[in-house]
């Protein structure tokens, strides 16, 4: 058993590429091509733009804007989301489009172009006792 003072180990949920280093703000894990600077999410090994091999892992911007969205009016069986909720694609300053869901928002008030920020949160605890982390976006607070 871990000691009470030991922070729980955190692992990304399947399909979520997160940087979860202790003592570091969680962020999305992307990759950047050192040859042409194109950035990708999910991270890749080979650049789709120039075919350079060996991309560098980078922490992506935590803020972006809403590129497009749809409103889900029914929850899928077993889903952690309660309808209605917003399924979104968020554009980051690196030019990457992130498929995600929005939180802390009235679906009817959702607008393309609105500023959004990353939220990393615990979805569950796995059999090893590690916190399984996922991410969403919410309206950016200034
Ligand atoms: Zn490239």
């Amino acid at each position: 058993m871990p000691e009470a003072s030991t922070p729980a180990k955190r692992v990304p949920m399947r399909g979520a590429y997160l940087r979860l280093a202790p003592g570091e703000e969680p962020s999305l894990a992307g990759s950047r091509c050192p040859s042409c600077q194109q950035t990708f999410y999910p991270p890749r090994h080979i650049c789709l733009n120039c075919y350079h091999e060996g991309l560098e892992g980078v922490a992506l911007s935590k803020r972006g804007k809403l590129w497009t969205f749809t409103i889900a009016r029914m929850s899928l069986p077993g889903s952690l989301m309660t309808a209605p909720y917003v399924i979104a694609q968020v554009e980051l300053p690196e030019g990457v489009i992130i498929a995600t869901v929005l939180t802390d928002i009235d679906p009817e008030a959702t607008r393309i172009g609105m500023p959004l920020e990353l939220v990393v949160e615990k979805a569950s605890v796995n059999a090893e006792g590690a916190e399984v982390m996922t991410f969403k976006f919410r309206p950016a607070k200034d």
Side-chain angles (χ1 to χ4, degrees):
M1 286 294 287
E3 291 171 41
S5 61
T6 306
K9 183 175 160 52
R10 297 182 300 175
V11 296
M13 183 181 254
R14 190 159 58 95
Y17 297 87
L18 293 167
R19 294 163 72 104
L20 297 169
E24 192 184 293
E25 277 273 302
S27 58
L28 291 173
S31 62
R32 180 182 297 134
C33 176
S35 176
C36 75
Q37 306 306 310
Q38 182 93 31
T39 304
F40 299 94
Y41 180 91
R44 303 182 51 85
H45 293 292
I46 297 174
C47 179
L48 281 179
N49 187 42
C50 74
Y51 304 109
H52 181 90
E53 232 176 290
L55 306 194
E56 325 171 311
V58 290
L60 298 180
S61 298
K62 296 181 184 70
R63 293 171 66 109
K65 59 185 183 183
L66 185 58
W67 192 63
T68 192
F69 71 99
T70 190
I71 300 173
R73 300 198 184 273
M74 288 175 66
S75 299
L76 291 171
S79 170
L80 299 173
M81 300 298 297
T82 306
Y85 61 95
V86 182
I87 300 168
Q89 293 198 313
V90 178
E91 183 179 28
L92 301 185
E94 293 90 338
V96 186
I97 305 285
I98 309 291
T100 186
V101 294
L102 302 187
T103 186
D104 300 337
I105 190 168
D106 170 6
E108 306 304 330
T110 307
R111 296 290 178 267
I112 285 172
M114 67 192 301
L116 300 168
E117 64 187 13
L118 178 72
V119 188
V120 175
E121 60 186 24
K122 181 173 84 172
S124 61
V125 175
N126 71 13
E128 288 79 45
E131 295 182 342
V132 180
M133 307 298 288
T134 188
F135 71 91
K136 298 171 182 170
F137 275 78
R138 69 180 171 211
K141 296 174 179 79
D142 271 341

